[in-house]
Amino acid sequence: MRISHRWLSEFIEVGDIEADRLGDLMSSLGHEVESIERLERPFENVVVGRVTAVGSHPDADRIRLCRVSDGADEVDVVCGAFNFEADAMIAFARPGAVLPGGFEIGTRTIRGVVSNGMICSESELGLGQEADGIWVLPDTAEIGADLAEALGYPDVIFDVAITPNRPDAMSVHGIARDLAAKLELPIVSPETRRVAAGQPSSVRIKIADARGAPRYVGQEVSEVKAGPSPLWMQARLSSAGLRPISNIVDITNYVMLELGQPLHAFDLDRVTDGTIEVRRARAGESLETLDGVTRELSTDDLMITDGGGVVALAGLMGGGESEVSGETTRVLIEAANFDAPTVMEASRRHGFRTEASARFERGVDPELPPVAAARATHLMEELAGGTAAAEAIDVYPEVIEPVSVELGSKLLRRILGDEVSIDLAAKLLVRLGMGVSGDDPLTVSVPTFRPDISRPIDLIEEVARLHGLDKFEELGARVGPSGGLTHEQRRLRRLRSLLAGAGLSEAYNLSFVGLDALSLLGLDPADDRMDPVRVTNPLREDQGALRTTLLPGLLASASFNVNRGASGVSLFEIGTVFFRRPSPLDPAIPDQPAHLGFIGVGGVGLSNLGSRERPSDGFSAVGIVELLSRELGIEGVNFTQVDEAPFHPGRAVAVTVAGVRIGIVGELHPAAARASELSGRVVAGELQLAPLVEVVTPWAFVEPSPFPPEIFDLSFDLPVGVASSDLRDTVRSAAGDLLESADVFDEYTGDGVAVGRKSLAVRVALRAADRTLTGDEVAPLRAAIAASVVDELGGELRGEL
Amino acid sequence: MESFEDLLETGPQRIALAESLDELEAVEGELIGKRSAVAETRRTLGTLPPEDRPVVGARLAAVTGQIQGMIATRREALQREAEDRLLREDAADLTLPLARQVRGSQHLITTIIDEVSDIFAALGYRVATGPEAETGWHNFDALNTPPTHPSRQENDTLYLDYGDPADEILLRTQTSPMQIRHMLANEPPVYVVVPGRTFRADTLDATHSPVFHQIEGLAVDTDISLGDLKGTLAHFAREFFGPGREIRLLPDFFPFTEPSAEMLVSCFNCEGGDPSCRVCRGAGWIELMGCGMVDPAVLSGVGYDPDVFSGFAFGVGVERLAMVRHGITHIRHFFENDVRVLEQFR
């Protein structure tokens, strides 16, 4: 909300407080000042003038020669605009005037005629958009008045963010009231006009739904002359961000900004039968609101109706039919209290908000309507020539009483410490307009303009706020009894560090996936990754669902980097994926496990001179998993060749830990890579995170043997489908306890090996903990290993045993 | 054949003139080898009169020892020269980037989360994480945010088409629902920080992203007051932005804390004196996070007695911390995964 310093000063003496300090005070009260705008005088020597005569220019028909009076003198001024005639009030820049941009006005000769100044348009004065013609001022403007002064310059505008719990602060007067409490200054009430009782109005008002409309005040004002509102009022509305419309409408808006009570003005002659009823809409009713939109109404919508049907959507916007116009002479001012949830729901239902609804949805003071109506009545008499002949009608079926809340010193001390005594709290609450009685606990009567206060803690907040949060002592850091990271959290950090150490950089992708991106993976339609949890109200189509796999995000990230010239990209991501099945944590929410994903494109390592670079390929994918399993002590990791989208049919392996599958790594199918504009071999993998971080590494120490190892190589001719890991595993189980290591170190196909066969060589190291192995011990083991490879894998030993 | 006594005359010069290890070996053979005068003398030692034998024997050993010493010295010198020659040939320009070690990087958000977690872990707080797809009850109701609260409107919250509509499954708009899960699962006292991913129905601009990260802090005990909140946040500010930082609280509103405040930290960049400061623009203060005393309604909602327990909570944006501290200009840098950005932060 934009608050004018001058306007504020009408209610509270803050004239000698520097603007920055005043802004800081508002912020310290919880009304955060987001910006302070200093409105300096935009021009000098521009006054309100009156055109006394308009004549044609002797030598030109595109310009006219005018006589302009500034109240003292009358001079000739040449003007090129045609949107005014004699008697128009205008903005007159006298010779010597300086307009925005340093543009100086002098006496000039235009086509042979002397022009003593300039009649200005709004844009020339820096006040408005480029428009046809000059600025015609309202007739009420005072001739000779300094125009900058009449427009309220100079001023300071505070842009204040009002928190949703403070409807009372959504007005100039409300802010002034809070400042007055802080500064212990008196606050002035605005001038109002109340018509004495006994002069009944012809209008009849009925509330049929007291829950939706607890109170409705209607004030009839007659003999109104519609026209523009005075300059100062227009300027204030503009500085607050509202567009001036006409004196009647401007007055209702002005009072709303000033007091926080939204008002509506009906043309009383267009209110059928002069009756108003507040009720819910009936099925099938519709209303064309002032913005020209025809709105189909819900039976939950609270409506203002007259003898002919609906005329306004309560708290949001009036209808076109009863709108005030240039012909309006009788006005009905509506100052009502509408139920906050009712207005909020209507606003949501119809998809728009107004200045009025923004206030009603927070809860307007039910005591405000008569005050605001009297204020508007005063202004209509003063500024629109109106007469209030009849008393206001105030329908208030069930008076809303101030609530009473108790506050004791025990709770006060628990929340605020020793800084504020109960006595000081009482004084602070009184300054905020509360009625306080008792010593401890205090019994506090909360004014109706503070609907946010109903509990002791609400009073404590007020006490702390007014006292000033800066005054509370900063104690030491509050220390907990025990804490730190869990086993899993520590292992997760180690896992990240390992991956970074292996040359991968950590990526963070958004948690969304578009159905298009998912379909590019070529998954089986029955795969649960193809049925993601949808976002009900996505902002973009590619954010329409929650990711079921990290791969699309990683593909996009890799592609992003390649498109920006990166020759090789290696990324990993640890993030949540979502599935349409109940979470083990809470059956109400979807399952959302964390996954580890990675991608590699182009070379791994460096690509200069010595070329330590080697291409990313499926072997690097398995290498990453082996690194993790070795370094994190994950036992029982196995790989099984699989043919599954989106991976390469012959270069991907499922990863199992102790027989349970945790993911898949390998090379992506070229089609999936191409879909992300990637070429060459693209390495990727996706694993469940939990099995990697939940493992508890055994504590047992293995004493290194002081005895020498027995090392020998065996070479086998094997069917081509046998994986090196199969050979390694077979050797391991055949070798038994004496095995120290078994590493496949050579693969060969070609000359000397039959088609459909390959040769694999394995180096076996045996060692005993308590003795040097003898040839007699080793030979049978060597034979047993060979035999089991022959039997189990269909191998043939190459060479001698 | 010359007498072995002549060795001391000619030997030293011959040793010194040997230019290679091979030459030296030849000289050694001639001087003290099997066919040398020394060897001959040793062989004939037995033919000498017994009384002469010790004298001649001792003299022989002394001469031989001297010559051997000279040869050993010369051999060392020649070996050193040979190695020096080899090493000179082995010289290389080690500034060629042939063996640069390549390391990847950890994401800055991870680093900041770890850093903040460590600050609080050191104070005895636990670190907990919770679900990103949440129920409306955990994200709103239990946090004292009634259905009519503006933040429950669709234009702020992303809702999910999942489960029982009554559960209002959504993407959590804050890490605060984990306050609820953590308190429901633990008895007081509670000291915990919750880092995690959060979501809003925001279009990407310089400071907003539909996905961002927060770290929530929660302390509930029998004797926690506003001064504890101030002290804890001041400690955090000094650990994270450096010693000498001051903090300020301005009243604010959050449904689940009361009193609520916005926490500001004094500018670490300009100390408040520079109107063109990239961090605070001269304000001297940087808005950092929301905080407050836990609302009694939240405590009673999880079965904690608000007449016995009180606490504070705060929530800080991780991207905000990173942007402020490192001068990052646009939030997209956190999610584009441009390696030129990622690799700036290890």
Side-chain angles (χ1 to χ4, degrees):
Chain A
M1 188 181 179
R2 292 166 60 85
I3 303 278
S4 148
H5 188 284
R6 282 193 170 207
W7 202 344
L8 204 55
S9 303
E10 289 182 12
F11 303 114
I12 176 175
E13 279 293 331
V14 289
D16 53 354
I17 301 180
E18 212 276 315
D20 282 339
R21 163 93 183 117
L22 199 58
D24 200 51
L25 275 170
M26 289 187 220
S27 289
S28 77
L29 284 166
H31 311 303
E32 188 193 349
V33 174
E34 294 182 324
S35 68
I36 297 179
E37 200 180 322
R38 289 180 167 78
L39 303 182
E40 305 298 346
R41 292 172 57 91
F43 41 75
E44 293 298 337
N45 223 346
V46 180
V47 297
V48 175
R50 192 161 70 88
V51 177
T52 55
V54 180
S56 52
H57 188 284
D59 294 327
D61 46 8
R62 308 291 297 266
I63 51 178
R64 297 192 293 178
L65 182 57
C66 307
R67 291 291 287 173
V68 174
S69 165
D70 64 3
D73 298 309
E74 209 167 284
V75 293
D76 284 335
V77 180
V78 172
C79 182
F82 289 80
N83 65 325
F84 64 97
E85 292 305 331
D87 290 336
M89 304 301 287
I90 49 91
F92 176 45
R94 290 194 287 218
V98 182
L99 301 192
F103 184 48
E104 282 182 41
I105 302 298
T107 300
R108 290 202 299 148
T109 304
I110 299 171
R111 311 284 295 259
V113 176
V114 174
S115 180
N116 300 287
M118 183 167 99
I119 301 175
C120 304
S121 70
E122 284 184 76
S123 74
E124 282 158 351
L125 293 173
L127 298 176
Q129 300 298 311
E130 197 66 49
D132 287 341
I134 54 98
W135 187 13
V136 180
L137 303 178
D139 292 344
T140 50
E142 187 193 335
I143 191 164
D146 179 272
L147 188 62
E149 175 64 30
L151 289 169
Y153 292 99
D155 199 354
V156 177
I157 303 292
F158 301 93
D159 198 350
V160 186
I162 307 295
T163 55
N165 60 325
R166 293 298 303 276
D168 63 296
M170 287 197 77
S171 66
V172 180
H173 191 260
I175 293 285
R177 184 165 51 200
D178 240 22
L179 280 171
K182 179 77 184 171
L183 298 167
E184 298 187 76
L185 289 173
I187 180 150
V188 175
S189 295
E191 263 187 88
T192 56
R193 160 88 160 103
R194 283 174 207 261
V195 181
Q199 297 170 55
S201 172
S202 62
V203 180
R204 278 161 297 149
I205 296 174
K206 181 183 166 196
I207 295 176
D209 188 323
R211 188 178 68 77
R215 189 171 198 175
Y216 196 103
V217 171
Q219 170 72 57
E220 184 186 337
V221 182
S222 50
E223 294 169 47
V224 172
K225 283 190 234 14
S229 58
L231 278 181
W232 61 267
M233 180 175 275
Q234 294 192 24
R236 283 212 174 148
L237 293 176
S238 298
S239 74
L242 264 62
R243 197 165 52 87
I245 294 165
S246 70
N247 50 6
I248 301 169
V249 176
D250 291 354
I251 286 168
T252 61
N253 283 332
Y254 186 85
V255 173
M256 172 179 69
L257 294 175
E258 188 174 67
L259 297 179
Q261 169 68 53
L263 299 178
H264 187 68
F266 294 102
D267 184 333
L268 191 47
D269 290 325
R270 294 163 77 178
V271 173
T272 311
D273 303 337
T275 63
I276 292 286
E277 181 179 347
V278 190
R279 61 161 170 84
R280 301 281 165 169
R282 296 182 183 132
E285 281 184 326
S286 66
L287 174 70
E288 188 189 334
T289 40
L290 284 174
D291 52 5
V293 179
T294 300
R295 302 179 187 276
E296 301 304 324
L297 300 174
S298 146
T299 53
D300 291 329
D301 286 333
L302 189 69
M303 306 306 300
I304 314 302
T305 66
D306 66 3
V310 293
V311 293
L313 188 50
L316 271 162
M317 196 177 271
E321 275 185 39
S322 55
E323 186 182 359
V324 292
S325 68
E327 279 73 55
T328 300
T329 57
R330 292 174 68 226
V331 172
L332 177 68
I333 301 168
E334 167 197 284
N337 187 267
F338 297 121
D339 172 55
T342 300
V343 175
M344 180 185 290
E345 281 156 25
S347 162
R348 200 182 303 184
R349 201 158 37 238
H350 293 288
F352 74 112
R353 300 178 84 214
T354 59
E355 288 282 339
S357 74
R359 286 170 174 78
F360 280 124
E361 15 179 86
R362 299 180 189 211
V364 176
D365 180 11
E367 293 302 318
L368 256 185
V371 180
R375 174 65 174 153
T377 304
H378 168 76
L379 291 172
M380 288 209 192
E381 287 191 343
E382 289 284 304
L383 308 174
T387 303
E391 65 180 292
I393 302 166
D394 186 351
V395 186
Y396 193 13
E398 213 169 307
V399 173
I400 297 166
E401 300 289 350
V403 297
S404 180
V405 183
E406 289 202 339
L407 175 62
S409 57
K410 189 165 158 257
L411 183 66
L412 184 68
R413 186 176 310 111
R414 191 137 50 80
I415 303 298
L416 298 185
D418 298 325
E419 174 67 26
V420 180
S421 68
I422 192 81
D423 293 346
L424 177 56
K427 291 195 183 81
L428 291 164
L429 292 171
V430 167
R431 275 159 59 186
L432 286 166
M434 319 239 176
V436 178
S437 60
D439 298 326
D440 187 6
L442 307 173
T443 302
V444 181
S445 170
V446 181
T448 50
F449 62 80
R450 293 300 305 270
D452 57 315
I453 299 175
S454 62
R455 305 172 300 162
I457 193 73
D458 303 329
L459 293 174
I460 288 174
E461 170 163 60
E462 287 303 298
V463 166
R465 186 176 71 88
L466 192 63
H467 185 59
L469 295 181
D470 287 340
K471 293 206 182 104
F472 289 85
E473 188 193 354
E474 197 177 287
L475 303 175
R478 182 75 193 193
V479 175
S482 67
L485 302 181
T486 62
H487 172 77
E488 286 83 1
Q489 287 164 348
R490 289 195 302 268
R491 283 176 65 88
L492 180 55
R493 287 194 180 183
R494 180 151 164 66
L495 181 144
R496 282 194 157 101
S497 170
L498 283 168
L499 290 169
L504 287 80
S505 289
E506 187 180 17
Y508 270 54
N509 279 292
L510 301 188
S511 306
F512 307 108
V513 70
L515 298 179
D516 287 352
L518 264 185
S519 68
L520 293 176
L521 296 179
L523 300 173
D524 182 340
D527 191 303
D528 55 5
R529 285 171 292 181
M530 290 301 287
D531 182 26
V533 177
R534 263 71 160 188
V535 178
T536 314
N537 54 332
L539 293 172
R540 297 160 51 131
E541 208 170 314
D542 61 1
Q543 297 176 357
L546 299 185
R547 61 184 178 184
T548 51
T549 158
L550 301 179
L551 294 177
L554 287 167
L555 276 163
S557 298
S559 177
F560 177 94
N561 281 291
V562 168
N563 286 336
R564 273 161 182 70
S567 60
V569 184
S570 298
L571 299 172
F572 75 97
E573 179 168 11
I574 291 166
T576 310
V577 295
F578 303 80
F579 296 103
R580 299 194 71 86
R581 54 175 180 251
S583 163
L585 176 77
D586 177 345
I589 57 178
D591 193 18
Q592 38 199 308
H595 277 190
L596 161 65
F598 59 85
I599 194 162
V601 185
V604 172
L606 295 164
S607 58
N608 44 22
L609 289 170
S611 188
R612 270 167 47 87
E613 185 187 60
R614 47 173 224 80
S616 276
D617 56 24
F619 302 103
S620 18
V622 172
I624 287 168
V625 181
E626 285 183 330
L627 169 81
L628 295 180
S629 77
R630 185 173 66 244
E631 297 296 319
L632 295 172
I634 304 163
E635 294 186 354
V637 174
N638 260 303
F639 302 97
T640 322
Q641 183 99 22
V642 289
D643 175 5
E644 282 177 25
F647 286 86
H648 187 304
R651 284 178 170 242
V653 289
V655 181
T656 55
V657 175
V660 180
R661 177 165 165 159
I662 66 160
I664 179 170
V665 304
E667 288 174 24
L668 286 182
H669 196 288
R674 271 198 305 274
S676 292
E677 300 171 50
L678 295 172
S679 55
R681 297 187 186 278
V682 176
V683 176
E686 184 163 17
L687 304 170
Q688 294 164 21
L689 186 67
L692 304 177
V693 295
E694 280 169 3
V695 176
V696 178
T697 313
W699 284 333
F701 168 69
V702 178
E703 184 76 44
S705 168
F707 300 96
E710 190 69 34
I711 297 171
F712 55 88
D713 297 344
L714 293 172
S715 178
F716 295 96
D717 182 311
L718 289 155
V720 99
V722 172
S724 83
S725 60
D726 297 336
L727 175 61
R728 183 200 59 203
D729 294 345
T730 305
V731 170
R732 273 187 188 165
S733 52
D737 294 342
L738 291 176
L739 184 79
E740 185 168 80
S741 63
D743 294 306
V744 176
F745 67 92
D746 189 41
E747 183 194 40
Y748 174 75
T749 53
D751 285 351
V753 180
V755 175
R757 308 282 291 179
K758 65 178 176 184
S759 163
L760 288 177
V762 61
R763 175 159 298 166
V764 181
L766 304 174
R767 193 184 323 234
D770 54 355
R771 63 190 186 280
T772 300
L773 294 175
T774 64
D776 288 350
E777 270 180 297
V778 172
L781 267 177
R782 196 178 156 109
I785 290 169
S788 99
V789 173
V790 169
D791 292 349
E792 291 171 29
L793 301 176
E796 275 173 48
L797 184 68
R798 292 166 70 88
E800 294 297 308
L801 190 60
Chain B
M1 176 179 280
E2 55 190 340
S3 148
F4 81 83
E5 287 292 349
D6 296 338
L7 268 181
L8 294 177
E9 295 293 318
T10 59
Q13 195 186 4
R14 294 182 63 190
I15 291 168
L17 286 174
E19 284 300 320
S20 69
L21 288 167
D22 289 344
E23 277 185 46
L24 183 64
E25 208 170 318
V27 170
E28 184 179 20
E30 288 165 23
L31 295 180
I32 53 174
K34 284 177 184 151
R35 275 185 282 279
S36 65
V38 177
E40 182 56 33
T41 307
R42 198 179 287 120
R43 273 195 294 279
T44 57
L45 206 55
T47 63
L48 293 180
E51 62 276 16
D52 289 348
R53 285 180 205 163
V55 179
V56 176
R59 180 66 192 152
L60 188 63
V63 171
T64 310
Q66 258 182 303
I67 292 297
Q68 277 172 336
M70 286 178 220
I71 289 170
T73 305
R74 180 63 185 154
R75 179 173 288 121
E76 267 177 48
L78 285 173
Q79 276 170 344
R80 202 160 43 239
E81 277 171 29
E83 189 170 32
D84 284 351
R85 215 159 31 241
L86 278 174
L87 290 179
R88 271 193 298 279
E89 284 162 15
D90 197 35
D93 172 9
L94 297 188
T95 66
L96 285 172
L98 292 180
R100 191 180 290 155
Q101 298 299 304
V102 190
R103 198 175 194 281
S105 54
Q106 177 171 279
H107 200 281
L108 180 58
I109 289 174
T110 301
T111 303
I112 300 241
I113 285 176
D114 286 355
E115 198 175 330
V116 176
S117 299
D118 286 345
I119 290 170
F120 284 95
L123 291 177
Y125 289 57
R126 286 157 71 185
V127 180
T129 53
E132 295 169 8
E134 262 292 5
T135 69
W137 185 83
H138 286 92
N139 195 69
F140 290 127
D141 300 77
L143 290 163
N144 199 33
T145 311
T148 51
H149 194 273
S151 66
R152 289 187 80 148
Q153 293 202 15
E154 278 216 344
N155 52 11
D156 293 312
T157 307
L158 290 166
Y159 287 92
L160 300 176
D161 178 19
Y162 180 83
D164 185 344
D167 287 330
E168 255 190 305
I169 304 303
L170 46 78
L171 287 168
R172 64 176 176 188
T173 58
Q174 49 201 358
T175 40
S176 314
M178 193 50 199
Q179 285 189 21
I180 303 304
R181 288 189 184 274
H182 192 80
M183 286 193 283
L184 285 172
N186 294 277
E187 290 299 315
V190 158
Y191 291 83
V192 67
V193 288
V194 182
R197 197 167 257 226
T198 48
F199 306 80
R200 298 272 166 92
D202 275 330
T203 311
L204 189 77
D205 65 21
T207 55
H208 295 85
S209 162
V211 174
F212 57 106
H213 297 77
Q214 282 188 343
I215 302 173
E216 187 88 2
L218 174 72
V220 178
D221 210 332
T222 51
D223 58 345
I224 293 184
S225 75
L226 187 59
D228 293 303
L229 170 62
K230 288 184 80 170
T232 307
L233 292 184
H235 173 79
F236 163 73
R238 286 160 202 153
E239 290 287 306
F240 191 81
F241 288 110
R245 299 277 60 80
E246 296 297 328
I247 67 155
R248 236 193 123 179
L249 298 188
L250 292 178
D252 203 337
F253 171 75
F254 307 107
F256 41 94
T257 49
E258 191 158 25
S260 300
E262 180 168 50
M263 183 269 229
L264 292 77
V265 63
S266 58
C267 183
F268 58 88
N269 191 47
C270 75
E271 306 278 344
D274 177 9
S276 65
C277 173
R278 71 156 174 90
V279 178
C280 74
R281 291 186 186 83
W285 295 94
I286 309 154
E287 291 173 12
L288 213 58
M289 65 170 98
C291 61
M293 303 300 292
V294 181
D295 194 291
V298 174
L299 295 177
S300 55
V302 295
Y304 287 15
D305 184 351
D307 290 330
V308 176
F309 294 100
S310 58
F312 62 72
F314 58 85
V316 61
V318 180
E319 285 83 358
R320 168 106 186 122
L321 285 177
M323 291 174 91
V324 164
R325 192 167 75 170
H326 299 279
I328 293 167
T329 49
H330 199 293
I331 205 165
R332 70 185 154 81
H333 289 307
F334 295 106
F335 300 104
E336 271 178 356
N337 303 314
D338 187 327
V339 291
R340 295 165 301 174
V341 171
L342 297 179
E343 289 173 358
Q344 291 181 43
F345 304 99
R346 298 286 172 174

